[in-house]
Amino acid sequence: MKKTGLTFLVLFFMFGLMAQTRYLVDKAHSSVNFKVKHNGISFVNGSFNSFEGFIEGDLNSLENANIEFTVDAESIDTRIEPRDKHLRSADFFDVEKYPKMSFKSTDIEKTGDKKYKLNGLLTVKDVTKPVTFEVKYGGKIVGRDGKDIIGFTAKNSINRLDYNVAYDPDSKAIAKDVDLVLYMEFVAN
């Protein structure tokens, strides 16, 4: 009886390991976007063009997945180079001192059909704070090369002042709240 129980335990553990898949972000089909209110009357949109990340887990139980993501702060792009240069300066992201922003998941809650709350720690500059992204799972397909591809949309709004991005602290020209939207495709590795 002990031998059967031990065999079952080993098989269960091995199956669990096999079910764990690592998915790497597909940079060509993903984007990291933001929007911030300007002068209280309109918005400035932008993106970060250099990033990497992964999801590790079983698609049948995303609640147990591990997600990590990093963004190259210098890759900020609002389509206006003088503004981008200012955003890279110490007034905003201080990219020479803090070249990367990062996110590490702490837990994932299923909230509905293909809907999740992704909780984790977001680090911008020298500040790490807990955040929650609203995530919608777009589904899974098999790519041309036979590898699984999964898609997600993740949204959140953060207060930039909480992360020492404190230029215009009274928010007269630049709102304190920044909306984040990530459109992500990940490919099985």
Side-chain angles (χ1 to χ4, degrees):
M1 185 67 170
K2 282 185 178 180
K3 191 173 186 180
T4 304
L6 183 59
T7 302
F8 176 75
L9 185 61
V10 168
L11 287 173
F12 180 77
F13 180 71
M14 286 175 57
F15 178 74
L17 287 178
M18 289 175 14
Q20 296 288 315
T21 303
R22 188 175 180 107
Y23 297 86
L24 300 178
V25 70
D26 177 355
K27 296 174 190 177
H29 299 103
S30 300
S31 62
V32 176
N33 310 286
F34 65 89
K35 173 178 78 171
V36 62
K37 200 162 202 177
H38 185 253
N39 286 331
I41 58 171
S42 65
F43 290 89
V44 170
N45 294 296
S47 60
F48 291 91
N49 296 325
S50 179
F51 48 85
E52 56 187 37
F54 68 85
I55 297 175
E56 197 166 58
D58 177 2
L59 290 182
N60 296 315
S61 61
L62 283 172
E63 300 84 19
N64 299 315
N66 178 40
I67 299 171
E68 292 188 19
F69 204 79
T70 59
V71 173
D72 180 356
E74 189 167 342
S75 73
I76 195 164
D77 183 0
T78 64
R79 297 182 313 276
I80 306 293
E81 186 53 39
R83 177 171 52 213
D84 295 344
K85 185 176 179 181
H86 189 204
L87 289 168
R88 292 180 191 114
S89 77
D91 284 346
F92 289 93
F93 290 105
D94 198 1
V95 301
E96 286 189 27
K97 192 171 181 182
Y98 306 105
K100 302 280 185 191
M101 295 179 278
S102 65
F103 173 84
K104 289 186 178 191
S105 65
T106 55
D107 67 279
I108 302 170
E109 305 168 48
K110 186 167 186 165
T111 59
D113 184 37
K114 298 184 178 187
K115 293 183 180 179
Y116 298 86
K117 286 189 183 284
L118 171 59
N119 301 302
L121 298 173
L122 177 64
T123 301
V124 177
K125 294 177 78 171
D126 58 344
V127 178
T128 300
K129 290 190 157 293
V131 295
T132 300
F133 283 88
E134 298 293 330
V135 175
K136 182 159 186 187
Y137 176 52
K140 178 181 96 166
I141 64 165
V142 177
R144 292 182 190 172
D145 60 1
K147 294 183 179 181
D148 287 344
I149 301 172
I150 55 177
F152 295 91
T153 301
K155 297 179 179 181
N156 189 0
S157 184
I158 62 170
N159 181 334
R160 66 182 174 84
L161 301 177
D162 290 345
Y163 294 92
N164 293 332
V165 181
Y167 184 81
D168 187 19
D170 296 328
S171 301
K172 291 181 180 176
I174 304 166
K176 64 182 180 177
D177 294 323
V178 179
D179 296 328
L180 306 172
V181 180
L182 287 72
Y183 300 105
M184 295 283 124
E185 282 189 19
F186 293 85
V187 179
N189 188 16

